[in-house]
C-alpha cells in the first residue's frame, strides 16, 4: 500500500482538499488534480474515499457518454493499489494505472456500452463509439468493450471474459494489444478487429476480418480462411509498445518508454517490467490547453524537450517542428491538435527514432497540405506512431474543415500501431464538396509497417503506398458514401469508375499485406466500383486474406484485387481473395 508521505515527493499527486508539503515542492492540491497536469487530469489513490471516486467517475461519464463531437477531454489515473469502483469509459476519456505493471493497479470493473445511439432496429449500436482508451490496469471482472475505430485497450489484464460488443449489436472496431485475458474473448458482431501480442483462453465470434498478430497460440482459433474469418500471423515482425505514464515513490511521475522488439509473441510484462527506460517528467514540456500555443511548444522542441500534451484542444496556427531525433510527442486523454490557419500540425525534418502517440489530429477550415508530415532522413532508425487518429470534418465549425491529405510519411522504417484516418461521414458541415480531402494516408518511405490501419471515406484513394518493402497487417476501409455521380469519381487512368481503397504504386517491387477488409456503401448514387485494391503484378507483392463487402445502397463492385475476385451485385454479398501475387490468385 502506498503511504501518503510518498505521494508528495515531487508535488504531483493529490488528496481531496488536503494541504501537503515536502520541502521545496510545497503545493496545495485539491479535487484529485495537480497543478502540473491541470484540471482535466484526475489522479486517485487507494486511500481516497471510494464513494467519492465512484461519484467522480460517474460524473465524467454522464458528460462524456454521448459527447461524440464535444470539446471536453479527460485523463483518469489510479495510483497503484486496489479500488472497489467501476468505471464506464465515454468519449475522449483515457483510463490508466500508474504502476509499472498492469497488475499493480486493480479496479473492480471498466466497461464501454453502446446504449446511447438510437437506431431503427433497436440494437445497441457501437459503430460510433470512437475516441477512448483503457491502459495499464487490471479489471477484476468480466469486461464489455463495445467500441469501434479510434480506440485502444492496451497493456491490461482482464480477470474473466472480454466482450467486444454490447448484446450483439453493431460494432466496427478495433484494437487490443499487449494484454492478458484470463477467460475468452468474444468479438461477436465486430466487423473487424486486430488482436496483437495478447493471451486469452479462447476466441469466439467472427464477422468479416478478425486478425490475430503475435498472440499466444493457446487461444487462437484453429480455423482460418476460408472456413472462418480469422487471419493468424504467428509473430509480430517489429514493435515498440506505446509509452505510458508511471509513478515511482522516489522519483515521482515519469514516462516509461519500452524498447523495440522483433518477432515477438504474447504480452511482455508477466511479473516483470518490460525492457525499457523511465524518462523523468522534466524531460518533457507539459503542454496545457488555452495556455500553450504553437510558438511556446516549438520553443520547447527547439530546447530539446519532448512534449506531453495534457487533455484538451490545441489550436495551432503553425506546424510543430520536430528536428531532434528521439523526440516523443505523447497525448493524454485524446489530446487534440487542430490546424487553425491552413498549416500542418506536426512536421519532422531530418529526424528519426520518433514517437507520436495518443493524439487526435483535426483538419481546420482553411485547407492544409497535410496534418502530419514525417520528412525523410538517410539511414533512419525506426519510429513509432501509436494510437494516432485523424479527422476531417464532423466537429462544430462555421465552415467545412478540409485538407489535401491527413498524413504523409516520407521517413523510412516507420511502424504504425492503430491508426484511424477518417473523413467524416456524419456530423457538422459534412458532404462531398464540403469536408474535402483527396487521400487519407500517403506512404513514400521504405520499410514502413502498419498494424491496424483504418482509412475511410476520402475523395480519392484512401491509402497510397509508394514505398518499397512495406507491410500492412489488418486494414479496414469504407469507401465514400457521398459521391454525387459517377463523373466525379473516375480512376486517374480514366477508364474505371471509382478509386480503389488501397493503391500500391506500379513501381513498388516488394510489399506484403494480410487481413484486409474493404467495404462499399454507395448511399447516394449508382457508381459501379471497379476494384477494392490495386497492386503491381510482380512476385514481390503479396496480399493474403482480403475481403470485400457490399453493405447497402446502390451496386456494386467488379473485383477485389486488380482483376481478381468475384463481383458484388447485391447488398450483403462478400467476396474474398485468399492469396494474390504476380497476377495469380485463389
Amino acid at each position: 500500500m502506498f503511504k501518503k508521505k510518498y505521494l508528495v515527493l515531487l508535488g504531483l499527486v493529490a488528496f481531496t482538499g488536503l494541504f501537503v508539503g515536502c520541502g521545496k515542492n510545497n503545493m496545495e492540491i485539491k479535487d484529485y488534480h495537480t497543478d502540473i497536469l491541470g484540471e482535466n487530469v484526475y489522479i486517485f489513490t487507494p486511500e481516497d474515499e471510494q464513494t467519492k471516486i465512484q461519484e467522480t467517475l460517474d460524473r465524467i461519464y454522464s458528460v462524456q457518454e454521448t459527447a461524440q463531437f464535444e470539446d471536453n477531454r479527460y485523463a483518469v489515473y489510479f495510483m497503484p493499489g486496489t479500488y472497489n469502483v467501476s468505471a464506464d469509459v465515454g468519449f475522449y476519456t483515457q483510463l490508466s494505472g500508474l504502476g509499472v505493471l498492469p497488475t499493480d493497479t486493480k479496479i473492480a470493473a471498466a466497461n464501454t456500452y453502446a446504449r446511447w445511439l438510437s437506431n431503427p432496429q433497436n440494437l445497441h449500436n457501437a459503430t460510433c463509439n470512437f475516441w477512448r482508451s483503457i491502459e495499464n490496469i487490471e479489471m477484476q471482472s468480466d469486461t464489455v468493450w463495445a467500441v469501434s475505430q479510434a480506440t485502444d485497450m492496451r497493456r491490461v489484464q482482464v480477470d474473466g471474459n472480454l466482450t467486444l460488443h454490447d448484446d450483439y449489436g453493431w460494432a466496427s472496431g478495433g484494437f487490443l494489444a499487449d494484454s492478458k485475458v484470463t477467460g475468452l474473448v468474444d468479438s461477436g458482431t465486430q466487423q473487424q478487429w486486430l488482436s496483437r501480442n495478447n493471451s486469452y483462453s479462447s476466441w469466439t465470434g467472427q464477422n468479416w476480418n478478425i486478425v490475430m498478430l503475435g498472440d499466444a497460440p493457446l487461444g487462437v482459433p484453429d480455423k482460418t480462411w476460408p472456413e472462418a474469418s480469422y487471419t493468424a500471423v504467428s509473430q509480430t515482425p517489429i514493435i515498440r509498445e506505446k509509452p505510458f505514464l508511471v509513478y515511482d515513490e522516489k522519483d515521482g511521475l515519469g514516462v516509461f518508454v519500452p524498447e523495440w522488439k522483433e518477432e515477438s509473441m504474447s504480452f511482455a510484462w508477466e511479473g516483470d517490467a518490460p525492457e525499457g527506460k523511465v524518462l523523468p517528467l522534466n524531460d518533457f514540456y507539459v503542454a496545457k490547453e488555452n495556455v500553450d500555443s504553437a510558438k511556446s511548444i516549438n520553443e520547447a522542441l527547439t530546447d530539446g524537450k519532448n512534449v506531453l500534451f495534457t487533455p484538451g484542444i490545441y489550436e495551432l496556427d503553425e506546424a510543430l517542428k520536430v528536428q531532434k531525433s528521439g523526440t516523443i510527442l505523447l497525448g493524454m486523454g485524446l489530446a487534440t491538435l487542430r490546424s487553425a490557419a491552413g498549416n500542418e500540425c506536426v512536421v519532422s525534418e531530418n529526424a528519426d527514432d520518433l514517437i507520436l502517440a495518443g493524439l487526435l489530429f483535426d483538419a481546420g477550415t482553411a485547407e492544409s497540405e497535410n496534418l502530419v508530415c514525417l520528412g525523410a532522413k538517410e539511414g533512419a532508425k525506426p519510429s513509432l506512431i501509436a494510437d494516432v487518429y485523424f479527422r476531417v470534418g464532423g466537429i462544430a465549425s462555421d465552415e467545412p474543415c478540409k485538407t489535401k491529405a491527413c498524413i504523409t510519411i516520407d521517413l523510412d522504417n516507420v511502424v504504425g500501431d492503430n491508426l484511424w484516418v477518417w473523413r467524416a461521414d456524419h456530423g457538422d458541415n459534412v458532404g462531398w464538396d464540403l469536408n474535402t480531402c483527396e487521400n487519407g494516408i500517403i506512404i513514400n518511405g521504405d520499410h514502413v509497417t502498419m498494424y491496424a490501419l483504418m482509412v475511410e471515406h476520402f475523395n480519392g484513394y484512401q491509402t497510397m503506398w509508394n514505398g518499397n518493402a512495406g507491410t500492412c497487417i489488418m486494414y479496414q476501409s469504407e469507401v465514400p458514401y457521398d459521391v454525387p455521380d459517377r463523373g466525379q469519381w473516375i480512376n486517374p487512368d480514366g477508364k474505371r469508375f471509382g478509386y480503389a481503397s488501397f493503391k500500391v504504386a506500379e513501381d513498388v517491387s516488394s510489399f506484403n499485406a494480410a487481413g484486409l477488409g474493404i467495404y462499399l456503401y454507395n448511399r447516394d448514387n449508382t457508381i459501379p466500383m471497379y476494384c477494392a485494391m490495386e497492386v503491381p503484378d510482380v512476385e514481390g507483392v503479396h496480399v493474403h486474406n482480403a475481403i470485400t463487402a457490399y453493405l447497402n445502397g446502390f451496386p456494386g463492385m467488379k473485383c477485389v484485387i486488380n482483376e481478381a475476385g468475384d463481383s458484388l451485385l447485391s447488398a450483403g454479398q462478400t467476396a474474398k481473395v485468399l492469396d494474390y501475387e504476380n497476377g495469380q490468385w485463389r
Side-chain angles (χ1 to χ4, degrees):
M1 180 69 70
F2 273 54
K3 302 297 184 182
K4 289 185 181 180
K5 66 179 180 179
Y6 294 130
L7 302 180
V8 297
L9 287 174
L10 294 186
L12 298 175
V13 185
F15 294 86
T16 302
L18 179 67
F19 183 87
V20 293
C22 184
K24 64 180 181 180
N25 292 304
N26 287 357
M27 63 185 297
E28 187 175 7
I29 310 173
K30 294 181 178 179
D31 300 327
Y32 311 113
H33 304 300
T34 69
D35 287 345
I36 195 168
L37 296 179
E39 293 188 356
N40 292 338
V41 177
Y42 291 76
I43 299 180
F44 300 117
T45 78
E47 296 181 357
D48 291 330
E49 188 177 338
Q50 303 289 291
T51 57
K52 294 294 185 182
I53 297 175
Q54 189 66 61
E55 289 173 2
T56 304
L57 294 171
D58 293 344
R59 185 171 65 250
I60 293 172
Y61 185 66
S62 71
V63 174
Q64 297 304 105
E65 180 186 10
T66 64
Q68 184 177 185
F69 293 111
E70 302 300 324
D71 292 343
N72 292 325
R73 306 286 188 270
Y74 297 97
V76 178
Y77 288 96
F78 293 83
M79 294 295 296
T82 300
Y83 300 80
N84 186 27
V85 297
S86 175
D88 290 333
V89 182
F91 283 100
Y92 311 112
T93 303
Q94 176 185 354
L95 184 76
S96 301
L98 286 171
V100 174
L101 300 176
T103 49
D104 291 340
T105 310
K106 307 176 191 298
I107 64 174
N111 299 286
T112 286
Y113 296 99
R115 310 291 168 90
W116 65 275
L117 186 60
S118 62
N119 59 88
Q121 288 82 359
N122 200 31
L123 295 170
H124 300 317
N125 185 359
T127 58
C128 290
N129 272 3
F130 312 136
W131 305 309
R132 64 198 73 200
S133 169
I134 300 179
E135 301 183 357
N136 199 36
I137 202 163
E138 179 180 350
M139 288 87 82
Q140 294 186 295
S141 62
D142 292 346
T143 297
V144 174
W145 185 236
V147 296
S148 289
Q149 298 90 346
T151 63
D152 78 277
M153 180 178 280
R154 288 180 178 269
R155 196 178 164 73
V156 303
Q157 177 165 314
V158 177
D159 297 336
N161 301 323
L162 174 62
T163 300
L164 303 179
H165 57 87
D166 188 348
D167 196 25
Y168 295 94
W170 299 327
S172 181
F175 182 81
L176 172 71
D178 195 29
S179 295
K180 177 181 179 180
V181 179
T182 63
L184 65 82
V185 177
D186 178 7
S187 60
T189 47
Q190 280 288 354
Q191 295 174 359
Q192 65 281 315
W193 195 273
L194 178 66
S195 174
R196 180 184 63 69
N197 290 92
N198 299 306
S199 172
Y200 38 84
S201 65
S202 62
W203 189 292
T204 185
Q206 55 170 306
N207 199 336
W208 293 328
N209 185 36
I210 307 296
V211 181
M212 288 88 173
L213 170 62
D215 283 356
L218 176 65
V220 175
D222 294 330
K223 290 185 177 180
T224 58
W225 286 36
E227 291 81 16
S229 65
Y230 303 122
T231 296
V233 180
S234 61
Q235 293 181 318
T236 303
I238 181 171
I239 193 61
R240 168 181 243 169
E241 298 297 342
K242 177 184 174 184
F244 54 96
L245 208 62
V246 294
Y247 181 82
D248 178 77
E249 291 184 355
K250 178 181 177 183
D251 298 321
L253 287 175
V255 174
F256 193 100
V257 183
E259 294 290 348
W260 287 100
K261 302 178 294 182
E262 295 184 2
E263 304 302 330
S264 61
M265 184 183 294
S266 194
F267 60 96
W269 45 263
E270 184 75 89
D272 293 303
E275 293 185 1
K277 59 185 176 182
V278 177
L279 299 181
L281 205 60
N282 60 17
D283 281 3
F284 289 78
Y285 182 80
V286 180
K288 293 192 179 73
E289 179 186 36
N290 299 325
V291 174
D292 282 292
S293 63
K295 183 175 183 291
S296 64
I297 298 170
N298 271 326
E299 288 173 354
L301 289 168
T302 300
D303 289 340
K305 291 284 191 179
N306 303 307
V307 183
L308 181 65
F309 294 89
T310 60
I313 298 174
Y314 297 79
E315 300 275 356
L316 303 177
D317 58 3
E318 61 179 277
L320 304 183
K321 296 182 175 65
V322 178
Q323 298 174 306
K324 177 189 173 187
S325 292
T327 298
I328 300 171
L329 304 183
L330 178 62
M332 305 167 64
L334 282 296
T336 302
L337 309 188
R338 184 172 295 166
S339 174
N343 53 281
E344 292 162 313
C345 293
V346 172
V347 174
S348 72
E349 300 174 359
N350 198 36
D352 62 359
D353 189 24
L354 306 175
I355 298 177
L356 274 68
L359 293 167
L360 169 59
F361 290 92
D362 268 342
T365 56
E367 186 178 60
S368 54
E369 288 293 322
N370 291 279
L371 298 180
V372 171
C373 184
L374 301 184
K377 180 180 180 180
E378 187 175 352
K381 297 178 182 177
S383 295
L384 176 69
I385 307 174
D387 301 339
V388 171
Y389 315 125
F390 299 84
R391 183 170 59 183
V392 183
I395 62 172
S397 59
D398 294 334
E399 298 178 14
C401 300
K402 55 187 66 180
T403 183
K404 292 182 180 179
C406 285
I407 176 171
T408 297
I409 300 174
D410 296 326
L411 187 62
D412 295 344
N413 298 307
V414 172
V415 176
D417 195 40
N418 190 29
L419 278 67
W420 190 40
V421 190
W422 186 57
R423 175 181 164 262
D425 61 313
H426 62 276
D428 287 353
N429 284 313
V430 167
W432 181 255
D433 296 317
L434 297 175
N435 61 321
T436 56
C437 184
E438 186 71 11
N439 307 117
I441 183 169
I442 302 171
I443 297 173
N444 300 319
D446 293 338
H447 301 281
V448 171
T449 301
M450 288 285 159
Y451 309 128
L453 175 62
M454 309 181 200
V455 192
E456 304 194 88
H457 309 309
F458 291 89
N459 297 95
Y461 291 118
Q462 311 302 300
T463 298
M464 295 183 66
W465 202 298
N466 304 317
N468 266 308
T471 299
C472 182
I473 299 176
M474 198 279 188
Y475 178 75
Q476 182 266 332
S477 178
E478 287 179 351
V479 296
Y481 301 164
D482 54 353
V483 185
D485 59 70
R486 64 178 65 190
Q488 295 193 43
W489 208 43
I490 298 177
N491 190 285
D493 66 9
K495 301 176 182 178
R496 303 176 179 178
F497 291 118
Y499 287 76
S501 169
F502 201 126
K503 170 70 172 179
V504 180
E506 289 301 315
D507 59 352
V508 169
S509 59
S510 58
F511 172 80
N512 281 281
L516 298 90
I518 298 169
Y519 315 136
L520 173 70
Y521 175 23
N522 285 336
R523 184 188 64 195
D524 295 345
N525 264 292
T526 302
I527 304 170
M529 185 172 167
Y530 195 86
C531 63
M533 188 174 189
E534 295 178 9
V535 303
D537 286 332
V538 296
E539 288 187 1
V541 174
H542 179 213
V543 180
H544 178 64
N545 288 3
I547 184 172
T548 57
Y550 176 7
L551 304 179
N552 208 337
F554 298 96
M557 186 184 296
K558 185 178 186 298
C559 307
V560 180
I561 304 173
N562 294 353
E563 304 289 335
D566 295 334
S567 298
L568 300 178
L569 302 175
S570 60
Q573 280 188 315
T574 62
K576 296 180 179 181
V577 170
L578 304 185
D579 282 291
Y580 186 96
E581 186 173 18
N582 199 20
Q584 304 298 309
W585 62 281
R586 65 181 181 92

